[in-house]
């Protein structure tokens, strides 16, 4: 999706220039020694949190730079596809993965089954564990050129779990220090050569990559937390690719520099079903009917979000085609009932969303109080059911690319993030079915059935699905626009 261009005020130019001083200075931004090929310059929003350890969220940066790889990867539907493993099969609790031949790490050592075992075992024993292994007990053993992964109970999602960037396979050298270091230890088309704390990183093309030579000679990364500075870096030509352009800056860029990427994130109004006014299904229905999500998208998000048709949005392209109408309760009369809505300030738009909802619900006959705090100071109260309603921006898929875990966590009677305090046997049965179904079309259908079961209770009112704005210079070719934020620079990406 494209945004209109707008002239940048002179004052903004001056402010951004000051922030950008030296942003990509010293980077080989014009060409390399090989045939005049240009390096790709990237401005990231968040600096590394854990020294680029793959056992942290920094793993997603390693994946986006195509330096660290996993046994499998996910396609657009969320199904597992070959990567460092060429094929796999399940036998009860054990999945066996055949390791790709002819792969070398960036230090020249060979990828073996033993190397895979070492990396996954390190991750499984880490504290804290990678998110994708929460509640999962597994053991990994080498069997010739294959690896056997055994879980405590049958798990249909093991291949999807092993696609998580936090389970990247690295050379032995990565584990020699006190922390895991990916420098020179990956298998991808780009070798991580240097990390300068939280300011920058550089990668060079790895010419012995098993998947073929990358088109770009390297990547120069700068971490630029200031959104104005990131946008100005793109506009001034100092960066080729800019992550997370703020909405306020997007309209200041050229139309062909902007791409809006649907994110697997839904802004939802959770309604407390266990006590208070919304224990009554008719009043939950009244709240749902009172909400005008389109006006929130236009007024708060400046039309840079998608009105929700369900809990799962356009980042999961299969969801809309599988849906059918949901039968819900009829709306009752609020009759001046007082409700308290909670939300948090960490996402700047949510307090404004709360104010808009307050007006809409009051127009429908509710009396509405707002409670707005920092997330760290409100989460425990939200989970304890202290509010009648709570506004949350929630990721709908976790590292496996599968939304069943989110649905269970948020709406299962034993879910760990059940803000709605929902306890419904029909919903629980649908969630159990979705969780147990094998990956593929049958599981996707079961997930949508579970979504319908949740929506039929009006325990949650999905309002909108967020987008992230990525900035690409005119000369950038074949950069990825990935809703899961796993891909960015690939073997096909280059700068003209």
């Amino acid at each position: 999706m494209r945004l209109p261009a707008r002239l940048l005020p002179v004052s903004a130019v001056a402010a951004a220039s000051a922030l950008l001083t030296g942003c990509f200075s010293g980077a080989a931004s014009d060409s390399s020694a090989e045939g005049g090929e240009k390096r790709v310059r990237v401005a990231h929003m968040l600096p590394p949190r854990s020294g680029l350890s793959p056992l942290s969220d920094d793993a997603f940066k390693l994946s986006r730079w195509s330096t660290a790889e996993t046994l499998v990867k996910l396609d657009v539907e969320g199904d597992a596809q070959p990567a460092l493993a060429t094929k796999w099969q399940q036998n009860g609790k054990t999945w066996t993965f055949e390791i790709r031949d002819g792969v070398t790490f960036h230090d020249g050592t060979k990828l073996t089954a033993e190397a895979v075992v070492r990396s996954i075992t390190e991750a499984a024993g880490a504290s804290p564990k990678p998110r994708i292994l929460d509640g999962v007990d597994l053991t990994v053993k080498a069997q010739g050129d294959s690896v056997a992964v055994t879980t405590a109970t049958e798990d249909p999602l093991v291949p999807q779990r092993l696609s998580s960037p936090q389970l990247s396979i690295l050379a032995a050298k990565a584990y020699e220090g006190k922390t895991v270091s990916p420098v020179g230890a990956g298998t991808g088309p780009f070798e991580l050569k240097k990390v300068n704390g939280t300011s920058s990183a550089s990668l060079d093309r790895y010419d012995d990559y098993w998947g073929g030579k990358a088109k770009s000679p390297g990547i120069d990364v700068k971490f630029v937390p200031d959104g104005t500075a990131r946008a100005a870096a793109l506009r001034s030509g100092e960066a080729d690719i800019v992550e997370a352009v703020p909405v306020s800056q997007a309209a200041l860029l050229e139309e062909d520099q902007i791409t809006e990427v649907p994110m697997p994130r839904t802004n939802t109004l959770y309604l407390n079903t266990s006590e208070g006014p919304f224990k009554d299904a008719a009043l939950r229905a009244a709240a749902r009917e009172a909400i005008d999500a389109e006006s929130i998208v236009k007024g708060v998000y400046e039309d840079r979000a998608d009105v929700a048709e369900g809990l799962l949005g356009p980042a999961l392209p299969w969801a809309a085609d599988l849906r059918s109408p949901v039968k819900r309760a009829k709306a009752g009369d609020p009759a001046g009932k007082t409700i308290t809505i909670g939300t948090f300030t960490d996402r700047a738009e949510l307090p404004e969303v709360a104010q808009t909802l307050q007006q809409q619900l009051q127009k429908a006959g509710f009396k509405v109080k707002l409670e707005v705090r920092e997330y760290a100071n409100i989460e425990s109260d939200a989970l304890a059911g202290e509010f009648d309603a709570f506004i949350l921006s929630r990721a709908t898929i976790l590292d496996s690319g599968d939304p069943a875990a989110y649905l269970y966590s948020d709406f299962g009677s034993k879910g760990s993030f059940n803000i709605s305090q929902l306890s419904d046997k029909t919903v629980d049965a649908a969630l159990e079915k979705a969780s147990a179904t094998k990956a593929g079309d049958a599981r996707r259908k079961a997930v949508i059935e579970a979504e319908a079961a949740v929506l039929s209770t009006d325990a949650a009112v999905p309002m909108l699905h967020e987008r992230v704005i990525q900035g690409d210079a005119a000369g950038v070719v074949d950069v990825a626009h990935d809703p899961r934020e796993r891909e960015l620079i690939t073997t096909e990406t280059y700068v003209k």
Side-chain angles (χ1 to χ4, degrees):
M1 299 177 184
R2 297 292 183 180
L3 303 174
R6 189 181 299 167
L7 292 177
L8 185 69
V10 174
S11 58
V13 172
S17 296
L19 287 165
L20 279 167
T21 301
C23 183
F24 281 90
S25 60
S29 58
D30 293 326
S31 65
S32 74
E34 284 190 46
E37 297 172 295
K38 295 180 179 179
R39 295 172 66 86
V40 182
R41 300 162 301 163
V42 182
H44 273 290
M45 177 175 66
L46 296 176
R49 298 177 181 177
S50 304
L52 289 177
S53 168
L55 304 183
S56 70
D57 281 344
D58 291 347
F60 287 84
K61 291 180 174 61
L62 303 177
S63 178
R64 301 193 87 195
W65 303 336
S66 292
T67 187
E69 298 180 305
T70 51
L71 288 183
V72 301
K73 59 184 180 180
L74 300 181
D75 63 16
V76 68
E77 300 289 337
D79 292 330
Q81 300 295 326
L84 294 181
T86 56
K87 58 184 179 181
W88 47 89
Q89 61 181 8
Q90 182 183 14
N91 183 10
K93 300 177 185 178
T94 298
W95 286 81
T96 303
F97 295 82
E98 186 173 310
I99 305 306
R100 185 179 296 276
D101 189 30
V103 178
T104 57
F105 291 105
H106 296 152
D107 65 355
T109 59
K110 183 180 178 181
L111 173 69
T112 63
E114 287 75 16
V116 172
V117 170
R118 179 179 53 243
S119 290
I120 297 177
T121 300
E122 287 279 348
S127 181
K129 273 186 178 183
R131 286 189 305 265
I132 198 65
L133 296 182
D134 279 347
V136 178
D137 294 321
L138 59 77
T139 57
V140 193
K141 293 183 179 180
Q143 296 179 345
D145 294 329
S146 298
V147 168
V149 179
T150 303
T151 52
T153 58
E154 286 194 27
D155 186 349
L157 281 188
V158 166
Q160 280 79 0
R161 294 187 193 282
L162 295 181
S163 76
S164 169
Q166 292 183 325
L167 298 181
S168 294
I169 309 303
L170 301 179
K173 64 175 287 187
Y175 306 98
E176 292 174 350
K178 292 183 179 179
T179 59
V180 182
S181 172
V183 176
T187 59
F190 295 98
E191 177 183 355
L192 182 60
K193 302 291 285 189
K194 188 176 181 180
V195 181
N196 297 308
T198 58
S199 62
S200 65
S202 61
L203 302 93
D204 289 345
R205 177 169 55 207
Y206 182 59
D207 288 339
D208 291 329
Y209 178 55
W210 62 267
K213 187 177 177 180
K215 292 183 178 180
S216 172
I219 308 169
D220 294 308
V221 178
K222 289 287 182 179
F223 302 107
V224 188
D226 185 273
T228 300
R230 288 197 307 280
L234 181 66
R235 199 190 71 263
S236 67
E238 288 196 56
D240 301 307
I241 300 168
V242 172
E243 179 186 54
V245 176
V247 168
S248 61
Q249 295 296 311
L252 308 178
L253 299 170
E254 295 296 328
E255 183 178 350
D256 62 358
Q257 293 179 315
I258 295 299
T259 302
E260 294 188 35
V261 184
M263 298 299 292
R265 180 173 287 277
T266 303
N267 284 18
T268 302
L269 180 67
Y270 290 76
L271 303 179
N272 189 335
T273 63
S274 68
E275 60 183 49
F278 291 132
K279 187 175 182 179
D280 183 347
L283 291 186
R284 297 199 297 271
R288 167 177 47 79
E289 291 191 358
I291 294 173
D292 180 1
E294 186 172 357
S295 70
I296 296 173
V297 167
K298 290 182 177 179
V300 180
Y301 290 85
E302 300 181 19
D303 259 337
R304 289 159 192 157
D306 296 292
V307 174
E309 298 296 331
L311 295 165
L312 308 178
L316 298 173
W318 48 267
D321 291 339
L322 294 177
R323 281 196 185 101
S324 55
V326 176
K327 191 173 182 179
R328 295 179 168 99
K330 292 184 178 180
D333 181 4
K337 292 282 197 311
T338 298
I339 59 173
T340 300
I341 300 176
T343 195
F344 50 98
T345 58
D346 303 54
R347 287 186 170 268
E349 68 280 358
L350 292 188
E352 190 175 352
V353 171
Q355 291 173 358
T356 303
L357 284 180
Q358 182 181 41
Q359 295 169 4
Q360 293 179 355
L361 291 168
Q362 286 180 161
K363 186 177 179 180
F366 290 98
K367 292 181 180 178
V368 183
K369 297 178 180 179
L370 301 181
E371 184 79 33
V372 182
R373 310 176 207 158
E374 291 184 355
Y375 186 75
N377 298 324
I378 203 169
E379 181 191 54
S380 59
D381 284 347
L383 292 172
E386 296 296 321
F387 302 104
D388 298 306
F390 195 80
I391 304 166
L392 185 67
S393 175
R394 182 78 162 133
T396 57
I397 58 173
L398 302 179
D399 294 353
S400 67
D402 180 80
Y406 144 72
L407 291 171
Y408 183 87
S409 172
D410 285 30
F411 304 108
S413 59
K414 296 182 180 179
S416 61
F417 210 78
N418 189 355
I419 290 177
S420 294
Q421 313 298 312
L422 183 63
S423 181
D424 184 283
K425 291 181 179 179
T426 300
V427 170
D428 284 344
L431 292 172
E432 292 291 345
K433 178 183 177 182
S435 298
T437 303
K438 290 185 178 181
D441 290 341
R443 186 178 181 91
R444 286 188 277 273
K445 182 180 178 182
V447 163
I448 291 299
E449 290 173 354
E451 179 199 56
V454 172
L455 293 176
S456 70
T457 69
D458 282 323
V461 183
M463 297 179 289
L464 59 96
H465 306 293
E466 297 182 12
R467 304 176 195 153
V468 67
I469 303 170
Q470 182 172 311
D472 307 322
V476 175
V477 178
D478 287 338
V479 64
H481 300 106
D482 181 14
R484 298 189 186 99
E485 297 187 304
R486 295 185 178 199
E487 289 189 331
L488 184 66
I489 312 297
T490 72
T491 56
E492 298 299 310
T493 307
Y494 67 97
V495 180
K496 293 179 182 177

